[in-house]
Amino acid sequence: MTAAMLKYLPNLLTTARLLLALPLGLLILREQYGGALLVGVVAGVSDALDGFAARRLQAFSRFGAMLDPLADKLLVTVSFLSFAGVGLVGWPLAALVIGRDLVIVAGAVAYRLLVGPFPFGASVLSKLNMGVQIIFCVLLLAGQALTPVPASLITIGSAVVVAAALASGVHYVVTWSLRAKRELAGERPA
């Protein structure tokens, strides 16, 4: 592979991860949890590799910066919808996880239309939220594919997912609402 081609490697890995959402969802819906866990592991490895490759090759791009969290969100969204579809989680939990993301996307679109461009990046709480959701998804899949997980651990995990989703969602709404208010009033953002 030439050096010019290598700069596309991180985005290719991210795109591959994005495409894993469909087989992941189908495997969960078919209750083939071992296969779903394997797809999840491959997605996790590709996530680590695309970040490593981007840093190592100095191949950062705005496209990659937007595609990477989109791939993560799509995998988590498909997982929660599929988990709810087979009864591993309740629909209210799936709706909260997905609803949080929809509120953030709607807020970002509104900010862009009403205020203007904004720096694209995840907050620390958002990264924590994503980590909690991924750990919970792995816990559910491992509990189905490998060894049963106590119901109390799933309940605690669900509560942590709810808390992280609410905390990061409220943080985004408050932070960006205040920023938009300052911008529209002509003040410089903090």
Side-chain angles (χ1 to χ4, degrees):
M1 224 180 229
T2 67
M5 290 175 65
L6 280 176
K7 72 178 185 176
Y8 296 107
L9 182 61
N11 288 348
L12 288 173
L13 289 168
T14 303
T15 301
R17 189 166 82 254
L18 189 72
L19 296 175
L20 289 174
L22 179 62
L24 177 64
L26 289 174
L27 287 166
I28 293 170
L29 290 172
R30 293 179 181 156
E31 299 183 23
Q32 296 173 342
Y33 301 116
L37 183 59
L38 180 61
V39 169
V41 168
V42 169
V45 169
S46 76
D47 191 17
L49 286 176
D50 72 24
F52 174 78
R55 286 186 298 278
R56 182 86 167 130
L57 301 170
Q58 293 295 305
F60 300 103
S61 69
R62 183 153 172 79
F63 177 72
M66 290 187 299
L67 190 62
D68 187 65
L70 177 65
D72 294 340
K73 283 294 165 196
L74 183 61
L75 284 163
V76 166
T77 297
V78 165
S79 295
F80 273 89
L81 284 173
S82 300
F83 290 149
V86 295
L88 290 179
V89 301
W91 283 105
L93 180 60
L96 174 67
V97 167
I98 296 161
R100 172 214 173 262
D101 293 337
L102 292 175
V103 166
I104 290 170
V105 168
V109 169
Y111 189 96
R112 177 71 173 103
L113 293 173
L114 299 172
V115 179
F118 58 92
F120 187 80
S123 70
V124 172
L125 274 176
S126 182
K127 290 176 183 180
L128 175 69
N129 177 63
M130 178 56 69
V132 164
Q133 290 175 356
I134 290 170
I135 290 168
F136 183 75
C137 290
V138 170
L139 177 70
L140 279 178
L141 288 174
Q144 297 301 310
L146 304 174
T147 184
V149 173
S152 59
L153 189 56
I154 300 299
T155 301
I156 292 167
S158 297
V160 173
V161 167
V162 168
L166 289 174
S168 64
V170 167
H171 177 261
Y172 266 116
V173 169
V174 170
T175 300
W176 286 95
S177 294
L178 292 173
R179 186 177 183 134
K181 183 179 175 183
R182 286 191 303 268
E183 286 280 333
L184 292 171
E187 299 173 22
R188 301 231 1 122

